[in-house]
Structures are given as C-alpha cells and as structure tokens.
Amino acid sequence: MSAQPSKTLAEKAAEYGLKADEYDLIVRRLNREPNDVELGVFSVMWSEHCSYKSSRKHLGKFPTTGPKVIQGPGENAGVIDIGDGDACIFKMESHNHPSYIEPYQGAATGVGGIMRDVFTMGARPVALLNALRFGDPSHPKTKRLVSGVVAGIGGYGNCVGVPTVAGETNFHRGYDGNILVNAMCVGLADADKIFYSAAPAAGLSVVYFGSKTGRDGIHGATMASAEFTEDAEEKRPTVQVGDPFAEKLLIEATLELMATGAVAAIQDMGAAGLTSSSVEMAGKGGVGIELDLDHVPQREEGMTAYEMMLSESQERMLAILKPGREADGHRVFEKWGLDAAVIGRTTDTGHLVLKHHGEVVADVPLAPLFDDAPLYDRPWVAPAPQPRLDPAAVPAPGDWTAAILKLMSCPDMASKRWLWEQYDRHVMADTLEDSATGADAGVVRVHGSRKALAMTSDVTPRYVQNDPYEGGKQAVAEAWRNLTAVGADPIAITDNLNFGNPERPEIMGQIVRAIDGMAEACAALDFPVVSGNVSLYNETNGAAIPPTPTVGGVGLIPDYAQRADFAGLKPGDALVLLGETAGDLGASMYLREILGREDGAPPPVDLAVERRNGDLVRDLIRSGLTSTVHDLSDGGLAAAAIEMALASGVGAALNVQLGPPDHAALFGEDQGRYLIALPGDRLDQLDARATAAGVPYEVIGQAGGDEVSFTGAGGLLAAIQLDELRAANEGWMPAFMGD
C-alpha cells in the first residue's frame, strides 16, 4: 500500500478555515509561504471569532461613548463609572459550539472564560448571568443538552463562589442543531485601578501564570467560526476542560499581583490561547514580542510549538511586568500554588517571534495578525417584511382558561425554577434580587455602600426573525425596561450577536438590520455598547438558528432601599397599566403557542415612548409610590399579571377592556408598558405624576383573593385559582427533566 501524500500548506489552510484567497494574502504579506506554526497562528487570528472580519464594518454603528463610559469596546471588557471612585466592569460572550459538542465542559468553560475577561481588568467578579437557547423539547438531544449545560454553569460558578443572579432560557426547534450558551460576568473595581492589555514598551518580561498548557481546545476558535456538519461529535477534542478551583486561585493571585503595582499589562488566555493573548498585547502596544516556548508550563509531554500556541487550556493568564518586578510575581504565584514562568520579552521589532528547542519556529509581522486581518463588506439582502396583523382578524381562544394555562405552562413561559435552584444565587451575601425572587433584573449590592447594580440579559428571537430591525430595537429597549423596572438608571450594554453563516446574503441581511435597530435604540436611550461578542456560523447543514442578538444591560440603583420587584403585591392594591395598548399580536407567544403560528410583524418600538414611560416608572419607585413593578413582554398583560400574582402569593381581578378585542388586550405584546401595584390612596399622586409626564395609564384591577380573573367586553373571561396556575407554570420543567 502506498503512503498517503502529505497535505500541502494550502490544503491545511482550508482545513483550518482559511479561504484560498486568504491563504494567498498571507503569502503576499510574508513574501513567502508560512510554515505550519505560522499558518496555525494566522488561522486562529483571522478566524471570525477573533477578527470579526464579517461584522466589524457594521459594529462601528454602535454608540460606544458616554459620560459614564471609562472603557468601550476593544479591551477584555467594558468599564463604566458608578460613582464614589467605583467602576463596574462587564462583558458577555458565547460558548455555543463547545456547549453543543460537550455541554458540561462547554458551558463551564464559558463561565470561566467570561470571568477572566472581567478580573483581568482588575475587577472582582460579583455576579454571573446567562442566556440559554435550546432546541425543541421533543428533540432527542435537548434534554441531555439542558442537563449538561445547567450542570456546567452551576458547577463552575458555584465552586468559584460567584452568584448567578439572572438570565433567560428559551426552547425552539430553530436551535435543534446549534444551541446557544451566552455567559455574562459583572465585576467591581476601583475606577483608578483599571488594568489594560497593551504592552507599554519593549524590553519587559512576559510572564505566564495559571494552569499548565495541555492539548485541549486546540483550534477551538476555528471550530467556533465554522458551520456544523454531521461530524460535530468528532470535534470533541476542540472543547476545553475547566477547573473552577484553579480559577478561584487565579482570581486571587491576579488581584493580589495587581495590588503589588508590578503589572504593566495583562491579558487572559481565551480563544486562540497563547497566540491571541501575546498578539493582542504586543499589537495594542505597538511593540514586538518574542516567546521561548521551552519555558511554557506543560502538562503533557512532547508538545509541539503549534500545539502550545493554539491550545485553549483554561485558567491561564499572560502578564507583562514592570522592570525588576519579577520577584513580586514569583512571590504571589508561589503563595497561590500556581505554575508560572517568564516565557519571553517584548521587543522593538514589530514581529511575533517564537523559539522552540533553540530554533526560531515562527517569525511573522504583528500587523497582519492584529489589525490588518481581512475585512469583508459582505453582500446582504434586506429581509422581506412581515405584514402587520389586524388584532380583530386573529382568532380568540375558544376556551380562555385552557388557553391561559397552556400559555403559562409552555416551555418558554414556564418557570425555570429547576435551573435556578442549581445555581448559588446568594454566595458573597450581596444579592438583593435574583431570578427566583420575582424581579425583572438581578440586583447586587455594591458591598459597603447603599448602591446596587442591576443587570439583565434580553432578546426576543421571534421578533428578530420576523423583522431584524424592530427586533434589534426591541432587544435593547427590553433590557433598558427591565433595569428600569427594578428602579435602576440604565447605563450601558454588552451584547452577544448570534447568527448563522454571514456568507449567505439573507443571513448577512439579518445581521446588518439587527445592528441598525440596536444602534438606533442605544443612541435614543443613551445606552452605549461597551463590550460584546459576535458568534456567527451557528448553523448545521445549512439550517441557521433564529437570529439572536442577546443584550446584556447594566444599571445603577443609587439607594437599594428604593428598588422594586414584582413580588410585593398586597391585598387591596390597585393594579395600574402604564402605556398604551394596541393589542399587537404579531410574532406573539399567543400566536405561537395557542394558534401554532409564527407570522406577523413584531410590535413596533417607539423609543421616545420607551424613554418617557420608563423615566416615569423610575420616578414612581424613587418617590416611594410603588415598589411593585413588572414590565410587559412575552405573553402580554395576562402573563405579567399572573407572574406578579404567583410571585406575591396574592390573587388579582383585572378588567381588560382597553380598546382592542379582549384577546388582543390580554395577550398583545405592545412595547413600552409596565404593570404596577400601589395602595389605592396613592392613585391621586400617580395621576399627577403621570399627567405631568404625559404617560397614559389605566387602573385595571385590584389585588386580593386566591385566584386571578380577567373580565373583558364579553364579561368574565377566566377565573383561575393560584394553585392551578402555579402547578401549570412550575410543573413543565421538572416533568421534562424527569424530576
């Protein structure tokens, strides 16, 4: 039998995700063919995951500055000023492909990676969030994926000791072949002690510290930048393995090292590992970098230069120390039991030079790796608009009680208590509101102060699917509204743009129009983007996920005593609906779950109305008129009222004669609306403030009893006991998971 011919570099380039013209461009930039190590370095740095080559042109539309923005996009995480010398550092990132292949480790390392993005800038992580999208519950893989992902998130976050306080979980057949795991971390730092990644000068020591380097995760960034085919399971070796206890040591060692004043620059080793961290540090600083790979701590024998540079082993950091401060680093690393070594120096060459076994194994200019990767203006076509649905033309339910119970027990609307209870939500003892307490955002106290941070993650993929522009606007507005509903001033967002293959014009059209809508909303609401992540090629065999541009929002509550949730309903309270109701049923949960349809234009977002209504809500909370607030979103007024009643353990009687047909008034998902509760003797004060603000409102009911009832133009529509509603709402998830 004849030996198989060795692959050419061009063939290897194709395997690594580089197009033929991209390989040709590398040859031109180097004036020669790259060797195998150099090709590996180029392939990961030019991957979609690291270079944003399909989206950079459009990401520039986002507003990224503001009076409270200390650091916008371009660093490991965004930084905002929250007053009193305090800063909040936060970021959201995807671990979609790894979590589909190996759900536990994929999700766990997603949590570990996003925490490193935050503490590498000098912040102590104080909260975690996640946004999860799974396939149809009937799909044979869905239950296993849910179980593994939730266990991975809880296993890692709980062990590190950072509370998971908020998030969202949806199910749809569009995610059958590509689940989404978006992880977000929020941290606190001193505003004058933020650490950056740019190497400040040549001649400084480059120090590796953390866990040893192994062969796990090699080409993880490349894998995350490609579609899945039938061989997805074979990509298991590209999934990293996490160790939360090593991460805890790394957090403490990193923050202690920073406190010594020895750090000149620092970067975590995330996607593309040692390659991206070294290239980014040198590239941002405009210097060169030379690494001797013989000194890299290794946990496996015989590792090649290629393997060391592309490994994505977890819990590793790269630091550049100030002159003569190596001893400080050694003392800290020894104290915390971390592997550490000086593995190189910064230079004035502008090149990445790698040595192994005494030989130069790579020597490439940094410019094409760092800031001169291909930039594409991909062709796109605007998505065809869906028609607006006439509420009167959408059928009403034949059985109102059955429809309401079905809606509240469907996978997306059902309680996710089964998930929450696997997450430690109160470690660190500063969590004030979380997913289980009945609030539209997580709230975490700034330790030792009266301030609190509010945080949320939001997007409605079915809206983005039917109109990416309006759906993009709505994702930002929903995050802004959720922060407002707990009494916070919204400050800034991070995002995670999850889409299919950008080389398909219809997918690129979704990306472009969603970004357009998001950018408009950010500008109108003074809600800038300070960090984010783009995750493309989320499709299998040509079937793309629903477009899912997740928005993570952060806001500040000046005094946490003046906050709201929706679990404070008391007997006798008046229920008030703020905002106008048109009965928009396009792309609604009612349409999908009760009528089996997913058509129609989503409800439009009037950003001026959003701002006007939200500003009033914050005023009502801070003036003490109300502390019970719930924004209206999925499921409309019916869902908001039932969720408020269940969280409070108090029933309510509502009159939904608001103008549209009863079913549209009850289930319509018109934007910019809030359901609030307050004592009846405060209605005059509410009227004065709402009238002054120009916000329409309706007193629609009263709290009390042990049932939730809805009366419309046709009389009593439904009256359902709280116990029956709770059984329906909380029963689906445990039954699905077999508990």
Side-chain angles (χ1 to χ4, degrees):
M1 180 183 288
S2 60
Q4 290 291 320
S6 60
K7 293 176 182 175
T8 67
L9 282 169
E11 289 171 333
K12 283 188 177 180
E15 278 188 12
Y16 297 167
L18 291 167
K19 308 290 186 186
D21 58 344
E22 291 175 336
Y23 178 75
D24 292 341
L25 182 58
I26 292 170
V27 173
R28 291 199 301 274
R29 295 279 171 84
L30 297 178
N31 289 316
R32 60 176 173 82
E33 285 209 307
N35 63 33
D36 198 43
V37 177
E38 294 167 338
L39 181 61
V41 167
F42 269 100
S43 72
V44 292
M45 292 308 298
W46 283 15
S47 70
E48 196 75 56
H49 192 81
C50 292
S51 72
Y52 299 108
K53 57 192 176 187
S54 296
S55 57
R56 261 190 298 160
K57 176 180 184 295
H58 300 284
L59 295 176
K61 300 171 184 175
F62 286 138
T64 58
T65 59
K68 295 184 179 179
V69 176
I70 296 174
Q71 174 65 52
E75 268 294 341
N76 289 289
V79 187
I80 56 174
D81 186 346
I82 59 170
D84 308 308
D86 298 323
C88 174
I89 300 179
F90 62 100
K91 171 85 175 287
M92 178 182 281
E93 198 157 75
S94 61
H95 237 222
N96 304 334
H97 284 47
S99 298
Y100 183 79
I101 295 168
E102 176 49 63
Y104 184 94
Q105 290 296 347
T109 53
V111 172
I114 198 62
M115 281 197 284
R116 287 194 297 280
D117 280 337
V118 167
F119 72 74
T120 195
M121 295 195 70
R124 179 169 292 281
V126 296
L128 295 166
L129 300 84
N130 54 71
L132 312 178
R133 318 282 167 183
F134 297 104
D136 191 297
S138 66
H139 190 278
K141 288 186 177 180
T142 299
K143 181 177 176 179
R144 179 183 68 85
L145 291 168
V146 172
S147 178
V149 165
V150 172
I153 291 170
Y156 205 100
N158 296 354
C159 290
V160 174
V162 179
T164 299
V165 301
E168 52 181 346
T169 304
N170 293 147
F171 296 83
H172 190 273
R173 64 183 180 280
Y175 302 103
D176 283 351
N178 283 261
I179 65 172
L180 301 184
V181 175
N182 294 171
M184 179 173 166
C185 181
V186 179
L188 286 168
D190 292 338
D192 61 351
K193 294 175 184 174
I194 308 300
F195 289 81
Y196 298 95
S197 56
L204 301 178
S205 295
V206 178
V207 177
Y208 170 121
F209 66 100
S211 297
K212 288 183 170 71
T213 293
R215 291 188 171 97
D216 53 322
I218 292 174
H219 266 297
T222 307
M223 180 267 290
S225 305
E227 297 179 39
F228 279 152
T229 54
E230 292 87 348
D231 63 352
E233 296 295 325
E234 297 173 14
K235 297 183 179 179
R236 220 172 266 274
T238 61
V239 178
Q240 312 92 322
V241 177
D243 181 347
F245 301 105
E247 180 98 343
K248 176 60 175 173
L249 297 176
L250 193 62
I251 292 172
E252 301 305 329
T254 300
L255 296 178
E256 187 169 322
L257 179 66
M258 290 169 169
T260 69
V263 175
I266 191 164
Q267 172 79 37
D268 76 299
M269 293 190 221
L274 189 53
T275 292
S276 65
S277 55
S278 58
V279 166
E280 288 176 15
M281 294 179 87
K284 289 176 184 176
V287 299
I289 191 165
E290 181 176 303
L291 304 179
D292 187 339
L293 300 180
D294 293 343
H295 298 306
V296 171
Q298 300 160 54
R299 71 166 181 257
E300 299 185 45
E301 292 185 3
M303 290 193 72
T304 65
Y306 175 93
E307 290 171 329
M308 281 186 275
M309 290 304 293
L310 271 66
S311 167
E312 293 185 10
S313 295
Q314 296 292 285
E315 295 90 36
R316 301 180 300 158
M317 304 286 280
L318 203 63
I320 294 175
L321 300 187
K322 295 174 182 177
R325 302 299 297 271
E326 290 85 357
D328 291 311
H330 178 75
R331 185 170 58 254
V332 171
F333 305 139
E334 188 172 52
K335 171 184 174 180
W336 292 101
L338 298 177
D339 286 290
V342 176
I343 65 168
R345 297 185 71 77
T346 56
T347 68
D348 60 5
T349 65
H351 276 229
L352 170 68
V353 177
L354 306 176
K355 294 181 177 179
H356 192 217
H357 299 326
E359 296 183 0
V360 174
V361 295
D363 185 347
V364 295
L366 278 160
L369 289 174
F370 172 66
D371 60 5
D372 198 20
L375 175 61
Y376 295 122
D377 185 1
R378 296 200 185 278
W380 60 278
V381 294
Q386 289 266 353
R388 294 292 300 278
L389 299 185
D390 176 2
V394 176
D399 183 331
W400 287 88
T401 298
I404 290 169
L405 290 171
K406 183 176 182 182
L407 185 70
M408 297 308 297
S409 63
C410 75
D412 278 9
M413 297 296 297
S415 166
K416 304 304 185 298
R417 183 179 299 277
W418 182 90
L419 282 78
W420 304 332
E421 290 180 344
Q422 297 186 53
Y423 305 150
D424 191 332
R425 306 183 304 280
H426 296 280
V427 66
M428 301 181 80
D430 284 319
T431 303
L432 301 175
E433 306 283 356
D434 63 76
S435 295
T437 59
D440 286 312
V443 179
V444 174
R445 177 179 54 179
V446 177
H447 199 75
S449 79
R450 299 292 300 175
K451 298 182 297 189
L453 291 169
M455 55 207 72
T456 186
S457 65
D458 295 283
V459 66
T460 309
R462 62 185 188 277
Y463 291 176
V464 190
Q465 180 78 60
N466 287 14
D467 186 336
Y469 172 70
E470 285 294 335
K473 283 168 61 179
Q474 192 273 343
V476 173
E478 171 78 2
W480 192 88
R481 200 183 311 137
N482 280 351
L483 298 175
T484 293
V486 296
D489 293 307
I491 297 176
I493 72 167
T494 182
D495 61 50
N496 206 145
L497 308 181
N498 307 274
F499 292 90
N501 184 345
E503 297 168 49
R504 294 167 55 195
E506 66 274 19
I507 299 297
M508 197 65 215
Q510 293 177 343
I511 297 168
V512 171
R513 293 301 286 154
I515 289 175
D516 287 344
M518 294 173 70
E520 182 179 328
C522 288
L525 298 172
D526 291 327
F527 206 25
V529 179
V530 296
S531 61
N533 172 242
V534 176
S535 175
L536 306 182
Y537 296 94
N538 288 290
E539 52 184 81
T540 298
N541 297 325
I545 61 162
T548 312
T550 310
V551 172
V554 172
L556 180 69
I557 301 175
D559 181 350
Y560 59 73
Q562 296 176 338
R563 70 180 193 275
D565 56 30
F566 56 83
L569 195 62
K570 296 178 178 61
D573 277 353
L575 289 163
V576 180
L577 178 61
L578 298 178
E580 293 186 279
T581 298
D584 230 306
L585 288 167
S588 65
M589 290 297 296
Y590 173 79
L591 204 69
R592 189 179 83 186
E593 297 298 330
I594 307 304
L595 302 181
R597 296 166 50 183
E598 298 188 34
D599 59 317
V605 179
D606 185 323
L607 295 166
V609 167
E610 284 285 357
R611 185 158 196 154
R612 180 197 69 191
N613 294 3
D615 288 349
L616 172 65
V617 168
R618 243 174 282 111
D619 174 59
L620 296 175
I621 294 169
R622 292 184 186 172
S623 66
L625 283 183
T626 184
S627 60
T628 307
V629 179
H630 196 3
D631 85 306
L632 271 64
S633 54
D634 288 353
L637 176 59
I642 290 168
E643 287 167 352
M644 186 179 282
L646 290 176
S648 307
V650 176
L654 287 87
N655 189 322
V656 297
Q657 297 180 66
L658 301 170
D662 290 342
H663 65 295
L666 203 56
F667 302 117
E669 297 179 5
D670 307 283
Q671 299 294 292
R673 297 185 299 161
Y674 301 82
L675 182 63
I676 71 170
L678 72 169
D681 60 8
R682 296 180 184 172
L683 286 173
D684 287 346
Q685 296 176 67
L686 167 67
D687 180 73
R689 290 176 184 266
T691 301
V695 176
Y697 74 93
E698 294 277 352
V699 179
I700 62 166
Q702 188 174 44
D706 56 6
E707 67 179 20
V708 178
S709 66
F710 300 98
T711 299
L716 181 66
L717 305 174
I720 310 174
Q721 293 288 312
L722 284 178
D723 288 347
E724 189 175 3
L725 286 166
R726 192 178 306 281
N729 185 240
E730 295 192 0
W732 180 81
M733 191 90 196
F736 171 62
M737 296 307 298
D739 289 6

